[in-house]
Amino acid sequence: MENILITGGAGFIGSHLVRLMVNKYPEKRIINLDKLTYAGNLSNLEDVAHKPNYRFEKADICDYEHMQQIFAAHRISGVIHLAAESHVDRSIADPFIFAKTNVLGTLALLQAAKEAWKADMQDKLFYHVSTDEVYGSLEHGGFFTETTPYDPQSPYSASKASSDHFVRAFHNTYKLPVIISNCSNNYGPYQFPEKLIPLFINNIRHNKPLPVYGKGDNVRDWLFVEDHARAIDLIFHKGKTGDTYNIGGFNEWKNIDLIKVMIKVADRLLGRPEGASDDLITYVADRAGHDLRYAIDSTKLHEELGWLPSLQFEEGIEKTIRWYLDNQTWMDNVTSGDYQKYYQQMYGTRITG
Ligand code: NAD
Ligand code: DAU
C-alpha cells in the first residue's frame, strides 16, 4: 500500500484534503500528522476517521527525531505538507512561533524525507503547500505568476517564503523531488473563526460588530476550499517535479463588497429583513503593513493540468454561510476557552477603544 503523509490534516484546508484523498484512494493509506494546535480539530474529520486507509499521528513537525520515526514506521513515499501557523494577525502579535513552525518545522520535515529517501528518490514526492502572500502586495494592477519575484511583507508571509526557499534548496542541493503550490485565500466549512469569513458569519449571527480593517478596500482573490483540495490532488499526481503552480479563483473582491454580500445572504438565511445587520459594520484600526491586493494567475495550472475552479462564488459563499449557521455546535466548540481570550486581546480595544 502506498503511504501518503499529510501534515496539518486537522486544520482547515488539510481536513478537506484528507477527506478527499481517503475517499478517493481506498488503496492508499493517508496518514494525517498534526500537532493539534488551537487551529487543529479532529472533529473536522469525524466522517472519515473510521476508514481503514486513514491513520492519525499526533506530532510536532519541529521534532526532527519524531519525524524520522514516522517516516520509518510508515514507509512514506509522498508528503503533502500543510502544517503551519497560518494567521497574519497572530504573526504580527508573535512572529517567533511562525519562524519556528513554518521555517524550522518545514526544514525538519525536509531533512527527514531526504534521509528516509536518500537511497532511492524514485517515485517519491515532497509537495509543499504555500501561499500567494509570498509575492507581496499588488499595488498597481497585474497578477502574480509563478515567476513573480518573492516580496513577503508580513511575518507570516516571510516565514512561508523562507520555507519555500528551503524546499527549492533541497531540490537543488540534494535532488529531493519537490513541488510547491501557491494559493490565494480559501473559504468554506471548517475554517477557524479568526479569519475574515467565518468570524464575520459568527458575528452577524450574534449581532456583534464586524471589525473592518482600515477602509475595507483591500482586495483578495477567494477560492472555495474543496477546489483547492482538488488542485492539490491533481498537482500531487500529475504535476512536474521541481515546478511551482499558482492556484487561484479568478475571483477578486474588495473586503467591504464581500462583507456586504455576506451580510445580505446571512440576513436572508437567518430570516431577518434585508439590511438588518448593516449597522454591525465597524471600521477599526488597520492591520499593520496590510497588503493591499493579491491576485493569482493560475493559467499554468489550467493549461498544463486542466484545472479550473468548479464553484461560482455566489454559490460557494451561500453554501459556506449556510454551513456555519447549520453547525453552531462546531462553532461553539472552537470559540470556547482560549478563543475568548484571543478575541478580547485582538478586538477588545479595536472595537470599543
Ligand atoms: P490552519 O491554521 O487551519 O491549520 C493548520 C494546521 O497545522 C492545524 O491543524 C495545526 O494543528 C497544524 N499545525 C500547526 N503547527 C504544527 C506543528 N508544529 N506540527 C504539526 N502540526 C501543526 O491552516 P490552513 O488555513 O488550513 O492552511 C494550511 C496551509 O495552507 C498552510 O501552510 C497555509 O500557509 C497554506 N495556505 C492557506 C491558505 C488559506 O487561505 N487558509 C491559502 C493559501 C495557502
Ligand atoms: O492569500 C492567502 C492567505 O489568505 C493565506 O496564506 C493565509 O493563511 C490566510 O489567513 C489568508 O490571509 P489574509 O490575511 O488575506 O486572510 P484574513 O481572513 O485574515 O483576512 C482577509 C482580509 O480581511 C484581509 O484584507 C484582512 C481583512 N480583515 C480580516 C479580519 C480577520 C478584516 O477587515 N477584519 C478582520 O477581522
Side-chain angles (χ1 to χ4, degrees):
M1 199 181 226
E2 189 184 341
N3 292 315
I4 299 170
L5 182 71
I6 298 182
T7 72
F12 167 47
I13 302 169
S15 61
H16 286 276
L17 181 68
V18 167
R19 176 175 301 100
L20 183 155
M21 294 195 71
V22 167
N23 287 329
K24 187 170 173 187
Y25 303 110
E27 76 289 2
K28 300 184 193 206
R29 187 172 290 124
I30 306 301
I31 299 138
N32 170 16
L33 184 162
D34 202 294
K35 184 182 173 186
L36 301 182
T37 67
Y38 77 92
N41 184 352
L42 286 179
S43 75
N44 295 357
L45 287 166
E46 264 165 3
D47 53 330
V48 290
H50 63 282
K51 301 253 174 155
N53 63 333
Y54 172 79
R55 298 278 182 287
F56 175 66
E57 288 276 2
K58 184 173 184 321
D60 183 341
I61 54 166
C62 301
D63 184 343
Y64 174 59
E65 282 174 14
H66 200 170
M67 293 306 104
Q68 283 186 303
Q69 285 162 14
I70 286 174
F71 271 83
H74 295 286
R75 286 182 290 110
I76 307 290
S77 58
V79 175
I80 309 181
H81 175 39
L82 296 98
E85 289 292 335
S86 69
H87 189 38
V88 174
D89 291 328
R90 287 185 192 253
S91 83
I92 295 168
D94 177 11
F96 283 100
I97 184 69
F98 282 73
K100 187 173 179 216
T101 300
N102 298 358
V103 185
L104 296 178
T106 300
L107 181 55
L109 205 59
L110 283 165
Q111 181 75 1
K114 182 198 95 185
E115 287 302 305
W117 297 343
K118 65 183 172 199
D120 179 14
M121 299 261 186
Q122 275 289 6
D123 299 323
K124 309 288 193 304
L125 182 61
F126 189 106
Y127 181 140
H128 178 60
V129 175
S130 193
T131 172
D132 61 356
E133 299 199 13
V134 298
Y135 299 122
S137 181
L138 289 164
E139 310 285 327
H140 307 290
F143 292 88
F144 299 132
T145 71
E146 286 80 2
T147 54
T148 302
Y150 275 30
D151 186 21
Q153 299 292 321
S154 73
Y156 163 68
S157 52
S159 69
K160 290 296 290 185
S162 173
S163 66
D164 293 9
H165 290 319
F166 269 105
V167 173
R168 289 200 181 93
F170 268 63
H171 180 61
N172 181 59
T173 311
Y174 309 111
K175 308 298 169 227
L176 190 77
V178 307
I179 290 184
I180 300 177
S181 60
N182 298 80
C183 188
S184 61
N185 285 60
N186 286 215
Y187 71 98
Y190 300 112
Q191 186 170 32
F192 193 81
E194 62 192 353
K195 308 279 167 64
L196 179 78
I197 290 184
L199 176 75
F200 276 36
I201 297 169
N202 197 36
N203 283 11
I204 295 169
R205 178 185 203 125
H206 295 291
N207 283 308
K208 283 167 68 175
L210 305 176
V212 181
Y213 296 167
K215 297 191 182 120
D217 47 17
N218 303 71
V219 174
R220 297 292 182 265
D221 167 12
W222 293 95
L223 178 67
F224 191 64
V225 61
E226 290 177 10
D227 280 330
H228 187 192
R230 270 197 314 110
I232 294 173
D233 174 36
L234 183 66
I235 296 167
F236 180 73
H237 287 99
K238 300 265 165 49
K240 192 161 157 259
T241 303
D243 265 24
T244 292
Y245 294 86
N246 278 355
I247 311 172
F250 286 112
N251 178 41
E252 288 181 56
W253 284 84
K254 202 185 256 202
N255 287 345
I256 191 65
D257 296 336
L258 171 70
I259 290 160
K260 286 179 181 162
V261 169
M262 281 199 284
I263 292 175
K264 198 169 170 193
V265 175
D267 274 348
R268 172 165 52 77
L269 294 177
L270 287 163
R272 295 178 184 166
E274 190 165 337
S277 303
D278 289 355
D279 289 348
L280 297 176
I281 291 179
T282 307
Y283 291 93
V284 299
D286 207 352
R287 172 184 279 174
H290 197 172
D291 287 339
L292 180 64
R293 173 172 169 258
Y294 308 139
I296 274 276
D297 180 348
S298 48
T299 305
K300 174 179 171 179
L301 179 57
H302 174 55
E303 288 183 349
E304 284 188 15
L305 302 181
W307 178 90
L308 278 177
S310 70
L311 269 194
Q312 291 295 314
F313 185 68
E314 289 66 23
E315 194 186 336
I317 197 71
E318 173 143 354
K319 195 170 161 177
T320 301
I321 294 173
R322 199 182 285 280
W323 187 88
Y324 286 101
L325 297 179
D326 287 349
N327 287 276
Q328 191 58 40
T329 312
W330 181 92
M331 185 60 91
D332 290 343
N333 283 340
V334 299
T335 54
S336 60
D338 284 350
Y339 177 84
Q340 299 299 344
K341 275 188 253 152
Y342 164 83
Y343 193 78
Q344 194 50 40
Q345 269 164 14
M346 282 288 185
Y347 292 101
T349 51
R350 272 181 148 152
I351 287 173
T352 54

